[in-house]
Amino acid sequence: MIRPMIAANWKMYKTIPEAVALAQRLRDAFAEPEDRDIVVAPPFTALGSVSAILKGSPVRLSAQNMHWEAQGAYTGEISAAMLIDAGCEFVILGHSERRTLFGETGGMVNRKMRAAIQAGLKPIFCIGETLEQRQSGATFAVLEEQIKEGLNNIDSGDIRRVTFAYEPVWAIGTGETATPGQAQEAHRFIRERLTSLYGEDIASPAVIMYGGSVNPGNAGSLMEQPDINGALVGGASLEFESFAGIIRF
Ligand code: PGA
Protein backbone atom coordinates (compact mmCIF):
# COMPACT_ATOMS: atom_id res chain seq x y z
CA MET A 1 0.00 0.00 0.00
CA ILE A 2 1.47 3.34 -1.08
CA ARG A 3 1.18 6.13 1.48
CA PRO A 4 -1.07 8.69 -0.25
CA MET A 5 -0.23 12.37 -0.53
CA ILE A 6 -2.83 15.14 -0.44
CA ALA A 7 -1.33 18.44 -1.58
CA ALA A 8 -2.86 21.93 -1.61
CA ASN A 9 -1.85 24.28 -4.40
CA TRP A 10 -2.97 27.71 -3.24
CA LYS A 11 -1.80 29.31 -6.52
CA MET A 12 -1.98 33.14 -6.45
CA TYR A 13 -4.42 33.23 -3.55
CA LYS A 14 -4.09 34.29 0.09
CA THR A 15 -2.36 37.12 1.87
CA ILE A 16 0.07 36.21 4.64
CA PRO A 17 -2.60 36.43 7.41
CA GLU A 18 -5.03 34.33 5.34
CA ALA A 19 -2.39 31.70 4.62
CA VAL A 20 -1.33 31.58 8.26
CA ALA A 21 -4.94 31.18 9.43
CA LEU A 22 -5.60 28.23 7.13
CA ALA A 23 -2.24 26.59 7.96
CA GLN A 24 -3.05 26.93 11.67
CA ARG A 25 -6.39 25.16 11.24
CA LEU A 26 -4.76 22.35 9.26
CA ARG A 27 -1.99 22.01 11.83
CA ASP A 28 -4.50 21.79 14.68
CA ALA A 29 -6.86 19.38 12.89
CA PHE A 30 -4.11 17.06 11.67
CA ALA A 31 -1.71 17.12 14.61
CA GLU A 32 -1.28 13.36 14.86
CA PRO A 33 0.83 11.61 12.25
CA GLU A 34 -1.75 10.33 9.77
CA ASP A 35 -1.54 7.44 7.36
CA ARG A 36 -1.17 9.99 4.58
CA ASP A 37 1.09 12.90 3.74
CA ILE A 38 -0.39 16.40 3.78
CA VAL A 39 1.39 19.19 1.89
CA VAL A 40 0.52 22.86 1.43
CA ALA A 41 1.94 25.12 -1.28
CA PRO A 42 1.30 28.78 -0.38
CA PRO A 43 2.44 31.70 -2.56
CA PHE A 44 6.09 32.74 -2.10
CA THR A 45 5.25 35.68 0.18
CA ALA A 46 3.60 33.42 2.77
CA LEU A 47 6.17 30.59 2.81
CA GLY A 48 8.21 31.87 5.76
CA SER A 49 5.20 32.59 7.96
CA VAL A 50 3.46 29.30 7.13
CA SER A 51 6.71 27.43 7.74
CA ALA A 52 6.88 28.89 11.26
CA ILE A 53 3.27 27.83 11.92
CA LEU A 54 3.90 24.28 10.69
CA LYS A 55 7.06 23.69 12.73
CA GLY A 56 6.71 20.33 14.47
CA SER A 57 3.51 19.52 12.55
CA PRO A 58 3.21 16.61 10.10
CA VAL A 59 1.77 19.07 7.55
CA ARG A 60 4.59 19.75 5.10
CA LEU A 61 5.54 22.77 3.02
CA SER A 62 5.94 23.18 -0.74
CA ALA A 63 6.62 26.06 -3.10
CA GLN A 64 4.80 26.38 -6.43
CA ASN A 65 7.75 27.17 -8.69
CA MET A 66 11.46 28.08 -8.70
CA HIS A 67 14.29 29.03 -11.04
CA TRP A 68 17.00 26.57 -12.03
CA GLU A 69 19.99 28.82 -11.31
CA ALA A 70 21.43 28.93 -7.80
CA GLN A 71 21.61 32.74 -7.81
CA GLY A 72 22.19 35.60 -10.20
CA ALA A 73 20.68 38.56 -12.02
CA TYR A 74 17.23 37.01 -12.61
CA THR A 75 14.79 39.70 -11.55
CA GLY A 76 11.65 38.26 -10.03
CA GLU A 77 12.95 34.71 -9.67
CA ILE A 78 13.49 32.50 -6.60
CA SER A 79 16.16 29.79 -6.23
CA ALA A 80 15.98 26.33 -4.67
CA ALA A 81 18.26 27.43 -1.83
CA MET A 82 15.90 30.33 -1.06
CA LEU A 83 12.97 27.91 -0.85
CA ILE A 84 14.88 25.65 1.53
CA ASP A 85 15.80 28.73 3.53
CA ALA A 86 12.08 29.56 3.79
CA GLY A 87 11.36 26.05 5.10
CA CYS A 88 10.23 24.21 1.97
CA GLU A 89 10.62 20.49 1.52
CA PHE A 90 8.80 20.24 -1.83
CA VAL A 91 8.42 22.33 -4.98
CA ILE A 92 5.71 21.96 -7.64
CA LEU A 93 7.33 21.91 -11.09
CA GLY A 94 5.86 21.77 -14.58
CA HIS A 95 2.36 22.80 -13.55
CA SER A 96 0.25 23.33 -16.67
CA GLU A 97 -0.36 26.98 -15.74
CA ARG A 98 3.42 27.50 -15.81
CA ARG A 99 3.69 25.67 -19.11
CA THR A 100 0.76 27.31 -20.90
CA LEU A 101 0.57 30.81 -19.38
CA PHE A 102 4.27 31.44 -18.75
CA GLY A 103 5.90 29.59 -21.62
CA GLU A 104 7.72 26.91 -19.65
CA THR A 105 9.07 24.27 -21.99
CA GLY A 106 9.88 20.68 -21.16
CA GLY A 107 13.55 21.63 -21.23
CA MET A 108 13.04 24.38 -18.67
CA VAL A 109 11.05 22.05 -16.45
CA ASN A 110 13.92 19.55 -16.66
CA ARG A 111 16.49 22.16 -15.60
CA LYS A 112 14.30 23.05 -12.64
CA MET A 113 13.83 19.38 -11.72
CA ARG A 114 17.57 18.77 -11.68
CA ALA A 115 18.33 21.97 -9.76
CA ALA A 116 15.65 21.19 -7.17
CA ILE A 117 16.94 17.66 -6.59
CA GLN A 118 20.53 18.82 -6.43
CA ALA A 119 19.63 21.42 -3.81
CA GLY A 120 17.76 18.85 -1.69
CA LEU A 121 14.16 19.71 -2.55
CA LYS A 122 11.57 17.10 -3.53
CA PRO A 123 9.88 17.99 -6.82
CA ILE A 124 6.17 17.44 -7.41
CA PHE A 125 6.39 16.88 -11.17
CA CYS A 126 3.17 17.75 -13.05
CA ILE A 127 2.15 16.46 -16.47
CA GLY A 128 -1.11 16.33 -18.40
CA GLU A 129 -2.76 16.76 -21.78
CA THR A 130 -5.01 19.54 -23.07
CA LEU A 131 -8.55 18.92 -24.30
CA GLU A 132 -7.48 19.12 -27.96
CA GLN A 133 -4.71 16.61 -27.33
CA ARG A 134 -7.15 14.22 -25.64
CA GLN A 135 -9.74 14.62 -28.38
CA SER A 136 -7.17 13.94 -31.07
CA GLY A 137 -6.06 10.76 -29.31
CA ALA A 138 -2.64 12.16 -28.35
CA THR A 139 -2.91 11.80 -24.55
CA PHE A 140 -0.36 9.03 -24.12
CA ALA A 141 2.06 10.54 -26.64
CA VAL A 142 1.92 13.87 -24.76
CA LEU A 143 2.47 12.21 -21.38
CA GLU A 144 5.32 10.17 -22.80
CA GLU A 145 7.00 13.30 -24.21
CA GLN A 146 6.55 15.28 -20.97
CA ILE A 147 8.03 12.40 -18.96
CA LYS A 148 10.95 12.00 -21.37
CA GLU A 149 11.79 15.71 -21.36
CA GLY A 150 11.12 16.40 -17.69
CA LEU A 151 13.09 13.43 -16.37
CA ASN A 152 16.00 13.71 -18.78
CA ASN A 153 19.28 13.01 -16.94
CA ILE A 154 17.57 12.21 -13.67
CA ASP A 155 19.00 8.91 -12.51
CA SER A 156 17.41 6.17 -10.45
CA GLY A 157 18.95 7.49 -7.22
CA ASP A 158 17.39 10.91 -7.72
CA ILE A 159 14.02 9.84 -9.10
CA ARG A 160 13.09 8.51 -5.64
CA ARG A 161 12.81 12.14 -4.51
CA VAL A 162 10.12 12.88 -7.10
CA THR A 163 6.36 12.78 -6.56
CA PHE A 164 4.22 12.77 -9.71
CA ALA A 165 0.98 14.53 -10.51
CA TYR A 166 -1.24 13.71 -13.47
CA GLU A 167 -3.29 16.82 -14.14
CA PRO A 168 -5.35 16.84 -17.33
CA VAL A 169 -5.40 20.51 -18.33
CA TRP A 170 -9.10 20.34 -19.27
CA ALA A 171 -9.97 19.33 -15.70
CA ILE A 172 -8.03 22.06 -13.88
CA GLY A 173 -10.27 24.70 -12.36
CA THR A 174 -13.12 23.74 -14.70
CA GLY A 175 -15.26 21.69 -12.35
CA GLU A 176 -14.92 18.88 -14.87
CA THR A 177 -13.06 15.95 -13.28
CA ALA A 178 -11.55 13.05 -15.18
CA THR A 179 -13.61 9.95 -14.47
CA PRO A 180 -11.88 7.48 -12.16
CA GLY A 181 -11.46 5.23 -15.20
CA GLN A 182 -9.88 7.96 -17.36
CA ALA A 183 -7.54 8.97 -14.54
CA GLN A 184 -6.60 5.36 -13.72
CA GLU A 185 -5.74 4.70 -17.37
CA ALA A 186 -3.39 7.69 -17.47
CA HIS A 187 -1.84 6.83 -14.10
CA ARG A 188 -1.29 3.24 -15.22
CA PHE A 189 0.44 4.56 -18.34
CA ILE A 190 2.70 6.85 -16.27
CA ARG A 191 3.67 3.98 -13.96
CA GLU A 192 4.44 1.79 -16.96
CA ARG A 193 6.68 4.50 -18.42
CA LEU A 194 8.46 4.79 -15.06
CA THR A 195 8.88 1.02 -15.01
CA SER A 196 10.54 0.99 -18.39
CA LEU A 197 12.79 3.94 -17.51
CA TYR A 198 13.72 3.01 -13.93
CA GLY A 199 12.45 -0.50 -13.23
CA GLU A 200 9.77 -2.02 -11.03
CA ASP A 201 11.52 -1.18 -7.73
CA ILE A 202 11.12 2.53 -8.38
CA ALA A 203 7.87 2.57 -10.36
CA SER A 204 5.71 0.44 -8.02
CA PRO A 205 6.08 2.62 -4.92
CA ALA A 206 6.07 5.95 -6.85
CA VAL A 207 3.38 8.35 -5.63
CA ILE A 208 1.24 9.56 -8.54
CA MET A 209 -1.34 12.14 -7.49
CA TYR A 210 -4.35 13.11 -9.57
CA GLY A 211 -5.16 16.81 -9.99
CA GLY A 212 -8.08 18.56 -11.67
CA SER A 213 -11.27 19.65 -9.88
CA VAL A 214 -10.81 17.24 -6.97
CA ASN A 215 -13.40 17.87 -4.23
CA PRO A 216 -14.61 16.01 -1.13
CA GLY A 217 -17.32 14.33 -3.21
CA ASN A 218 -15.12 12.79 -5.89
CA ALA A 219 -11.87 12.21 -3.95
CA GLY A 220 -12.86 8.78 -2.63
CA SER A 221 -13.72 7.23 -5.99
CA LEU A 222 -10.53 8.60 -7.55
CA MET A 223 -8.37 7.37 -4.68
CA GLU A 224 -9.89 3.89 -4.92
CA GLN A 225 -8.12 3.39 -8.24
CA PRO A 226 -5.02 1.19 -7.91
CA ASP A 227 -2.60 3.66 -9.51
CA ILE A 228 -3.96 6.88 -7.97
CA ASN A 229 -2.00 7.66 -4.82
CA GLY A 230 -3.24 11.07 -3.81
CA ALA A 231 -4.55 14.41 -4.97
CA LEU A 232 -3.11 17.77 -5.94
CA VAL A 233 -5.90 20.19 -5.13
CA GLY A 234 -6.36 23.78 -6.27
CA GLY A 235 -9.76 25.42 -5.74
CA ALA A 236 -11.02 23.03 -3.08
CA SER A 237 -7.83 23.49 -1.03
CA LEU A 238 -8.51 27.17 -0.35
CA GLU A 239 -11.12 26.50 2.35
CA PHE A 240 -10.50 24.40 5.44
CA GLU A 241 -13.69 22.33 5.25
CA SER A 242 -13.31 21.21 1.66
CA PHE A 243 -9.58 20.48 1.92
CA ALA A 244 -10.05 18.61 5.21
CA GLY A 245 -12.83 16.61 3.52
CA ILE A 246 -10.41 15.55 0.80
CA ILE A 247 -7.67 14.70 3.31
CA ARG A 248 -10.13 12.43 5.11
CA PHE A 249 -11.26 10.72 1.87
P1 PGA B 1 -8.13 22.58 -9.32
O1 PGA B 1 -6.56 22.79 -9.58
O2 PGA B 1 -8.25 21.61 -8.17
O3 PGA B 1 -8.66 23.95 -8.98
O4 PGA B 1 -8.70 22.03 -10.58
C1 PGA B 1 -5.67 21.71 -9.52
C2 PGA B 1 -4.26 22.18 -9.84
O5 PGA B 1 -4.09 23.06 -10.68
O6 PGA B 1 -3.29 21.69 -9.24
Side-chain angles (χ1 to χ4, degrees), residues 9 11 95 97 167 171-174 211-214 232-236:
N9 176 7
K11 306 193 180 184
H95 190 280
E97 286 152 17
E167 298 205 302
I172 295 179
T174 57
S213 298
V214 177
L232 179 53
V233 189

Side-chain angles (χ1 to χ4, degrees), residues 44-78:
F44 286 136
T45 47
L47 286 174
S49 311
V50 170
S51 168
I53 291 295
L54 295 180
K55 225 176 200 76
S57 154
V59 180
R60 299 149 82 174
L61 189 65
S62 177
Q64 301 174 17
N65 183 29
M66 55 166 260
H67 194 267
W68 56 79
E69 292 292 346
Q71 58 180 18
Y74 301 101
T75 301
E77 295 292 334
I78 299 279

Side-chain angles (χ1 to χ4, degrees), residues 54-162:
L54 295 180
K55 225 176 200 76
S57 154
V59 180
R60 299 149 82 174
L61 189 65
S62 177
Q64 301 174 17
N65 183 29
M66 55 166 260
H67 194 267
W68 56 79
E69 292 292 346
Q71 58 180 18
Y74 301 101
T75 301
E77 295 292 334
I78 299 279
S79 72
M82 292 169 183
L83 297 182
I84 292 169
D85 191 31
C88 291
E89 178 182 357
F90 297 90
V91 60
I92 297 172
L93 294 175
H95 190 280
S96 69
E97 286 152 17
R98 299 297 320 167
R99 294 180 192 259
T100 59
L101 304 175
F102 300 100
E104 273 188 25
T105 63
M108 289 159 78
V109 175
N110 178 248
R111 292 174 82 170
K112 293 180 179 201
M113 292 284 294
R114 287 186 287 144
I117 291 167
Q118 204 185 358
L121 286 168
K122 298 173 183 164
I124 296 173
F125 174 54
C126 303
I127 57 175
E129 81 288 357
T130 63
L131 185 59
E132 299 78 65
Q133 289 165 337
R134 174 162 284 266
Q135 285 172 340
S136 67
T139 297
F140 292 156
V142 168
L143 296 178
E144 167 135 37
E145 182 68 11
Q146 289 174 337
I147 290 170
K148 201 175 103 197
E149 286 181 337
L151 303 185
N152 187 33
N153 280 320
I154 294 177
D155 65 24
S156 49
D158 288 341
I159 196 72
R160 294 178 195 278
R161 301 185 66 82
V162 180

